């Protein structure tokens, strides 16, 4: 995708208990819908699942990003959907993926180290820089994993 100004929106939400119990299946469903909808709308992004929380970045044309966020916000698979930031950005950070989902595991040490509250992850403390730092670190690991495969 081209490097030109885009709108980037970052939010977090809490997974419902049913989703948290069957996270792999739920995320596979979400990812399938996301890729199908995001690709034609020129949206790219990353979805992170960590300790019952979703953290997602959506980037693309402003109207398309707002429309997608509106749909996502009505989705019963999560609640407490909380906007962290939504603004113009110079370039995409997650251009590799229409949407990529990664669940954080204990072995993702570089990421775990970024969660400064080591024992439990509190999304209410996320700021735009800390959320993007986390998502960008996940993106680096995801690219390395893909190259190694
Ligand atoms: P339809 O498929 O017609 O579904 C109707 C309603 O049912 C919608 O409210 C939908 O949210 C809900 N629904 C759909 N499937 C299920 C299910 N398996 N269980 C319970 N309810 C369901 N969509 C994108 O297009 N791009 C994204 O980047 C994206 N990211 C997401 C991130 C998260 C954390 C979540 C929870 C969802 C995400 N989605 C994303 C999915 C999005 O919320 C919609 O389900 C999807 O876009 C289809 O929307 P629709 O209006 O066509 O719904």
């Amino acid at each position: 995708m081209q490097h030109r100004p885009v709108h980037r929106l970052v939010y977090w939400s809490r997974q419902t208990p049913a989703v948290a119990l069957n996270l792999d299946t739920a995320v596979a469903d979400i990812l399938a819908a996301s890729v199908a909808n995001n690709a034609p709308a020129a949206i790219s992004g990353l979805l992170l699942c960590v300790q019952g929380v979703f953290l997602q970045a959506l980037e693309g044309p402003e109207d398309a990003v707002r429309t997608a966020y509106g749909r996502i916000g009505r989705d019963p698979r999560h609640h407490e959907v909380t906007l962290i930031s939504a603004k113009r950005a110079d370039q995409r950070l997650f251009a590799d993926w229409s949407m990529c989902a990664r669940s954080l595991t204990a072995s993702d040490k570089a990421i775990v180290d970024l969660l400064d509250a080591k024992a439990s992850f509190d999304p209410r403390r996320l700021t735009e820089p800390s959320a993007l730092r986390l998502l960008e670190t996940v993106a680096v690991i995801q690219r390395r994993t893909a190259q190694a495969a």
Side-chain angles (χ1 to χ4, degrees):
M1 293 185 198
Q2 303 135 323
H3 282 202
R4 58 178 191 192
V6 290
H7 191 73
R8 182 181 308 116
L9 184 153
V10 184
Y11 76 89
W12 65 268
S13 63
R14 294 199 191 277
Q15 299 158 8
T16 60
V19 163
L21 270 177
N22 293 291
L23 190 60
D24 288 352
T25 308
V27 169
D29 287 350
I30 289 168
L31 200 52
S34 300
V35 170
N37 291 327
N38 294 356
I43 292 176
S44 51
L46 188 66
L47 172 65
L48 175 65
C49 313
V50 51
Q51 295 181 16
V53 168
F54 288 122
L55 173 63
Q56 186 176 33
L58 298 161
E59 50 191 21
E62 182 169 356
D63 285 357
V65 168
R66 284 183 190 277
T67 301
Y69 184 59
R71 266 198 329 267
I72 293 167
R74 291 189 294 274
D75 195 310
R77 289 171 284 189
H78 61 170
H79 58 98
E80 217 179 311
V81 179
T82 307
L83 187 67
I84 297 174
S85 65
K87 60 188 192 196
R88 184 184 151 123
D90 287 341
Q91 62 181 49
R92 293 176 190 259
L93 295 176
F94 310 104
D96 318 44
W97 309 285
S98 298
M99 188 49 61
C100 167
R102 186 167 179 117
S103 295
L104 203 64
T105 63
S107 59
D108 290 329
K109 180 147 186 340
I111 304 175
V112 174
D113 287 347
L114 272 176
L115 305 175
D116 53 357
K118 305 274 193 270
S120 68
F121 171 62
D122 183 356
R124 292 168 300 183
R125 294 175 46 201
L126 286 170
T127 59
E128 184 192 27
S130 69
L132 286 178
R133 208 165 56 235
L134 184 52
L135 288 166
E136 286 190 84
T137 305
V138 174
V140 168
I141 292 175
Q142 189 65 28
R143 286 184 196 108
R144 281 196 199 130
T145 308
Q147 278 167 8

